[in-house]
Amino acid sequence: MATPDLQLSGARFPHPLGKIVCVGRNFAAHAAELNNPLPEVPLLFIKPATAAADIHQPIAIPDGLGSVHHELEITVLIGAPLTRADRASAASAIAGIGLALDLTLRDVQDQLKRDGHPWERAKAFDGAFPMSEFVTADGVDLRNLSLRLWRNGALAQEGNSNQMLFPILDLVTTISHTFSLMPGDVVATGTPAGVGPLTRGDQLVATLDGFIRVETSVA
Ligand code: ZN
C-alpha cells in the first residue's frame, strides 16, 4: 500500500511520513462510553506509516474481522527532531495540524484487551489511518480546536481540544520523553465521544473548524 505524501498548507512536506503516535482515552466522555478508566499518564500506541491512507479517497475497511469504528482525531505534524524536549521546543516543532480517522477493529480490540495483548492487530492494519492534509500551526490556539464528524448527515462525534485530559503541547512534550519524535512523524491526539461502526457506502464529513473540511465515503 502506498503511503500518502504529507501536505502542509498546499505544499509537499519535505519529509516522508514516519511513525504515527496515537493517544488513547484523551477525552473523558470517550473513555466513559467504552467503560475504560481514565489514564494517569497518556496511553500511547504507534501505527506504522503503512497504516496511512488519503482520507479524500474512499475508505477501505477490512472484511470478516467484526466492527470497524471511526475515531476522528486532531493530528499534529512534527517538523523538527524532539528528544526529551521542553515545552518551548515542542511548541516550535509543531509544523501543522490536521485530521485523521484512527480506525479501530473494535471486536478484535475487545478480545486483545481481554487477553492482555497489544492492540496492533486492531489498530495498525493497512488503511487504518485515513489522514488529511495539514495546515500550518503558526499562531493557532492548540487549546481551542473544534472537531466534528457527520455520518450520513447525522452528527456522530463532536469535541474541542479544551476537553483533552492531556493538551496537545503536553502530549508532544511527554511523548518526546518516552521516544524521539522526528520530522514527518504524526501525533493523533485522541478521539471525543461518539465513536461507532462504519458501513460500506457511508458518507462522511469531517471538520477541524476554521481550518479543514473533508468529505469522503466508505468504499
Ligand atoms: Zn484513537
Side-chain angles (χ1 to χ4, degrees):
M1 175 168 283
T3 300
D5 290 331
L6 297 170
Q7 299 287 330
L8 175 60
S9 295
R12 186 171 167 171
F13 190 64
H15 301 272
L17 175 62
K19 60 188 174 290
I20 301 159
V21 183
C22 295
V23 180
R25 303 175 194 169
N26 201 23
F27 286 80
H30 168 62
E33 72 181 343
L34 295 183
N35 296 313
N36 285 318
L38 292 181
E40 287 173 7
V41 295
L43 190 171
L44 303 179
F45 58 96
I46 290 179
K47 297 194 183 208
T50 45
D54 178 358
I55 197 171
H56 296 278
Q57 300 301 316
I59 295 167
I61 56 177
D63 262 327
L65 293 172
S67 63
V68 183
H69 274 203
H70 55 75
E71 296 190 357
L72 183 70
E73 311 204 359
I74 299 169
T75 53
V76 169
L77 176 62
I78 302 299
L82 290 175
T83 301
R84 293 183 290 281
D86 57 24
R87 288 168 61 88
S89 356
S92 60
I94 295 176
I97 52 172
L99 285 174
L101 290 167
D102 167 21
L103 294 184
T104 304
L105 286 162
R106 191 68 72 199
D107 300 320
V108 173
Q109 186 193 31
D110 287 346
Q111 185 63 47
L112 293 169
K113 284 183 190 171
R114 284 192 290 271
D115 293 342
H117 289 175
W119 292 357
E120 276 81 355
R121 285 181 180 279
K123 292 276 199 181
F125 56 90
D126 287 1
F129 198 71
M131 58 188 291
S132 79
E133 65 280 16
F134 294 87
V135 295
T136 179
D138 291 349
V140 169
D141 181 1
L142 297 174
R143 300 210 52 167
N144 185 19
L145 296 169
S146 286
L147 72 167
R148 291 188 179 84
L149 177 73
W150 288 264
R151 175 171 171 254
N152 300 325
L155 184 62
Q157 292 197 260
E158 180 172 29
N160 186 291
S161 60
N162 63 20
Q163 302 160 331
M164 290 179 177
L165 299 176
F166 304 101
I168 289 173
L169 190 53
D170 294 12
L171 283 175
V172 173
T173 306
T174 300
I175 289 167
S176 81
H177 285 251
T178 300
F179 40 77
S180 293
L181 291 167
M182 298 302 289
D185 285 352
V186 168
V187 178
T189 58
T191 196
V195 302
L198 293 172
T199 305
R200 287 176 213 298
D202 278 351
Q203 300 295 313
L204 303 177
V205 176
T207 60
L208 182 58
D209 283 11
F211 299 101
I212 292 172
R213 183 175 191 282
V214 172
E215 286 187 43
T216 191
S217 61
V218 179

